[in-house]
Amino acid sequence: MAKSSKSLVSMDKILEILASTISIVLGLFGLSQHYGSNTIKPSSIYSSGDAAEFLKMARLDVLKLIKSGAIQATKGGNGNYLIVGQSLINYLASPTVPSTD
């Protein structure tokens, strides 16, 4: 009996990982659908203005997302935020991103 419950735990973990992977893939697919050739490069650094263009929202809304922790960013020496592209990709792939439809 113990062996079958151990299998169920493993299967649950596999399903959880699969669901996360599907969510990320769908988020990235949605990103390519909305932004065409303007792809976010995971290792590039973007300003909040650049991020606003990618996300099709106002710069102030991007700043609110940064302050809320929804988008990870670092404040540069000049006071401007620096956003790694992967942070934008993670935000777009997250299940809490509001639909733009």
Side-chain angles (χ1 to χ4, degrees), residues 72-94:
Q72 294 180 345
T74 303
K75 206 166 198 178
N78 60 2
N80 292 329
Y81 283 100
L82 305 173
I83 306 165
V84 177
Q86 187 63 51
S87 294
L88 296 175
I89 293 168
N90 292 346
Y91 170 74
L92 289 168
S94 76

Side-chain angles (χ1 to χ4, degrees), residues 17-35 88-101:
I17 292 168
L18 183 60
S20 294
T21 303
I22 290 170
S23 175
I24 290 168
V25 169
L26 289 175
L28 292 174
F29 177 73
L31 174 66
S32 68
Q33 291 290 316
H34 284 91
Y35 303 106
L88 296 175
I89 293 168
N90 292 346
Y91 170 74
L92 289 168
S94 76
T96 58
V97 174
S99 174
T100 57
D101 296 337

Side-chain angles (χ1 to χ4, degrees), residues 3-99:
K3 186 175 182 181
S4 65
S5 68
K6 187 176 182 181
S7 302
L8 290 176
V9 170
S10 297
M11 185 57 118
D12 287 345
K13 190 65 174 171
I14 290 169
L15 290 174
E16 182 182 329
I17 292 168
L18 183 60
S20 294
T21 303
I22 290 170
S23 175
I24 290 168
V25 169
L26 289 175
L28 292 174
F29 177 73
L31 174 66
S32 68
Q33 291 290 316
H34 284 91
Y35 303 106
S37 63
N38 294 333
T39 20
I40 298 171
K41 296 177 182 149
S43 59
S44 292
I45 305 293
Y46 299 99
S47 68
S48 56
D50 294 334
E53 287 181 35
F54 278 118
L55 300 175
K56 305 243 188 263
M57 62 175 59
R59 183 177 166 273
L60 290 177
D61 290 333
V62 171
L63 295 175
K64 287 178 188 175
L65 290 170
I66 291 169
K67 290 179 183 180
S68 75
I71 294 176
Q72 294 180 345
T74 303
K75 206 166 198 178
N78 60 2
N80 292 329
Y81 283 100
L82 305 173
I83 306 165
V84 177
Q86 187 63 51
S87 294
L88 296 175
I89 293 168
N90 292 346
Y91 170 74
L92 289 168
S94 76
T96 58
V97 174
S99 174

